[in-house]
Amino acid sequence: MIKEIYQNYLNKFYEMLELQDLTKNTIKNYTSFLLQYLTWINTNLSKYLEDISYDEIRLYILKKPFDKYEVPFMKTTRKLPTIYSKEIIFQFIDSFKNIRHKAYAAILYSSGIRVSELQHLRYEDFSRKNMMLRIKETKSRTDRYAILSKNALAILTKYWNSNRKPKGYLFPGYHYRNKSVSKNTINNVFNDRSKTFGVKITPVCRKNHKMF
């Protein structure tokens, strides 16, 4: 019902976002936020959009002018992840008994890619000859390349040889091979191994983590 009332505004808003070359997911989120605002207007105000005042917009954002619980809080300091020595990382990766799990860690710490990028790697994304892997459609929606170390490639080759179906996703889901492994699965693997290893090491890699 709300969509029908404000369809013209929503269409113009959608066109404006498309001109900015935003991703479909971003456009969907922004449109959802606008729809929430329009729903509030339709429920609480009897005005045309053009007649809504700044104070009324402020009322929508804060509900009450001085409600301390709804005024945006100052950003808190974020603690950077701990950077461990090469020796610790080598020991951590070697501690994995499962070759697939060891491949997770080896690729992440060799190339510095994100977990979401690791998820969607496919066999054809690797060049063993050039010791490189291709990351498709990154956040900037362009492909990029990352370098693999000899150690990581050796672990990856061992994983390849243990896999009966070397095609499609490099790390398919455990129940559905046509889907990629989930982030939760990868995170749980690291959490479980960290508990046994005795050092908290996460799969969240940064450029300065690339050391394997």
Side-chain angles (χ1 to χ4, degrees), residues 59-202:
L59 178 64
Y60 169 73
I61 298 173
L62 300 177
K63 304 293 192 305
K64 296 179 181 179
F66 301 104
D67 188 336
K68 65 179 180 180
Y69 296 105
E70 294 190 335
V71 173
F73 291 100
M74 181 177 68
K75 291 184 178 179
T76 56
T77 302
R78 293 181 62 185
K79 186 178 179 180
L80 293 174
T82 303
I83 306 299
Y84 295 102
S85 67
K86 289 183 179 181
E87 289 72 23
I88 293 295
I89 296 300
F90 291 159
Q91 292 172 20
F92 178 72
I93 294 174
D94 286 340
S95 72
F96 283 96
K97 305 302 180 185
N98 184 303
I99 187 59
R100 171 169 167 148
H101 298 169
K102 183 177 287 190
Y104 291 162
I107 294 173
L108 285 171
Y109 278 92
S110 171
S111 62
I113 64 175
R114 301 179 179 89
V115 175
S116 59
E117 294 169 339
L118 176 73
Q119 276 182 277
H120 298 100
L121 287 176
R122 303 179 72 90
Y123 281 88
E124 59 266 27
D125 294 330
F126 287 84
S127 172
R128 299 178 67 179
K129 179 180 179 181
N130 298 318
M131 298 177 64
M132 298 179 68
L133 60 89
R134 180 178 60 179
I135 312 301
K136 296 178 182 176
E137 296 187 6
T138 62
K139 282 191 171 182
S140 60
R141 292 194 289 175
T142 57
D143 292 358
R144 65 182 175 84
Y145 291 86
I147 298 174
L148 282 176
S149 68
K150 290 183 179 179
N151 289 334
L153 189 58
I155 292 172
L156 189 56
T157 299
K158 188 174 181 180
Y159 167 69
W160 275 333
N161 293 336
S162 70
N163 196 342
R164 296 180 180 179
K165 297 181 179 179
K167 60 181 180 179
Y169 285 115
L170 178 66
F171 300 116
Y174 286 97
H175 301 293
Y176 302 98
R177 293 191 65 86
N178 62 331
K179 293 185 179 180
S180 65
V181 64
S182 70
K183 284 185 180 180
N184 285 339
T185 295
I186 297 174
N187 288 328
N188 289 338
V189 165
F190 272 75
N191 288 336
D192 291 344
R193 177 48 48 185
S194 291
K195 290 176 183 177
T196 305
F197 188 68
V199 175
K200 180 64 176 178
I201 298 180
T202 71

